[in-house]
Amino acid sequence: MHTEKMLPVKMTGDIYSECWHSYIVAALLSDDKFLPWFVERFMDFYVSEDCVGWYRIQNVISGPYYEYEEVIDYQEIRDFSINPIQAIQETIIRNRYVISVYNFGGVLHEIMIIGYDAVGFRTYRAELSRAVQDHISYETFLQNFTSALEILEKN
């Protein structure tokens, strides 16, 4: 097995949408061929009579833009009997991103796993409306992932 692999993401500055959507867009926009798809669905351009132009990016939560199936396929993994670290590494080897639930001190949140090395996972996540790339050791990931699953099972 590979000892290290990193998938590309297009880091954004501020994130003003639900993090799950920002993760998908960050992965898609790492390849320029998806830029026209993004512009067509998420941006409105305006030019006033005095030729002053401006644009706005749609809010993906309230907008009718849940058309990711046009450009990606995804699956939900519900088999928790497998080794999660190995399963995530194998998924990344196949050039697929992983969005996982994670327990941040009692608050459940999603992180996108974009790579791994000998000691842990590389992640992309939203933190206080900012895009953050981080490294999480395998031990820390397992503790917080397992804890998140236990919380979800109780609810």
Side-chain angles (χ1 to χ4, degrees):
M1 182 175 303
H2 298 89
T3 58
E4 186 173 317
K5 173 122 178 152
M6 183 78 161
L7 298 174
V9 290
K10 184 79 160 200
M11 292 290 286
T12 58
D14 297 336
I15 297 175
Y16 295 108
S17 70
E18 199 274 331
C19 62
W20 192 82
H21 299 285
S22 67
Y23 297 161
I24 293 172
V25 170
L28 285 172
L29 292 183
S30 68
D31 187 335
D32 288 342
K33 75 180 181 185
F34 294 112
L35 189 56
W37 173 88
F38 176 77
V39 169
E40 287 173 5
R41 283 156 185 79
F42 291 91
M43 299 179 84
D44 288 333
F45 293 91
Y46 301 91
V47 177
S48 63
E49 289 181 9
D50 55 356
C51 293
V52 174
W54 61 281
Y55 71 93
R56 71 184 170 111
I57 297 178
Q58 296 288 342
N59 179 338
V60 296
I61 294 207
S62 60
Y65 303 107
Y66 297 104
E67 300 176 11
Y68 299 122
E69 292 85 5
E70 295 175 340
V71 290
I72 63 171
D73 66 323
Y74 55 90
Q75 68 187 55
E76 188 171 325
I77 299 172
R78 290 255 179 212
D79 181 3
F80 300 118
S81 65
I82 60 175
N83 176 335
I85 293 174
Q86 182 180 352
I88 291 169
Q89 288 174 336
E90 289 171 358
T91 301
I92 292 170
I93 288 170
R94 293 190 315 270
N95 294 319
R96 297 181 64 112
Y97 298 82
V98 175
I99 297 176
S100 174
V101 66
Y102 196 79
N103 184 354
F104 285 96
V107 177
L108 299 188
H109 207 275
E110 290 93 10
I111 58 173
M112 184 165 69
I113 301 171
I114 58 175
Y116 66 89
D117 59 24
V119 295
F121 289 124
R122 291 274 174 206
T123 65
Y124 176 89
R125 62 186 170 85
E127 181 178 284
L128 301 175
S129 301
R130 302 288 301 166
V132 175
Q133 236 182 81
D134 206 356
H135 189 273
I136 299 172
S137 74
Y138 292 128
E139 181 180 347
T140 300
F141 173 80
L142 271 179
Q143 289 171 351
N144 291 290
F145 175 72
T146 304
S147 172
L149 292 180
E150 290 169 357
I151 292 169
L152 288 171
E153 280 182 8
K154 289 178 185 175
N155 297 330

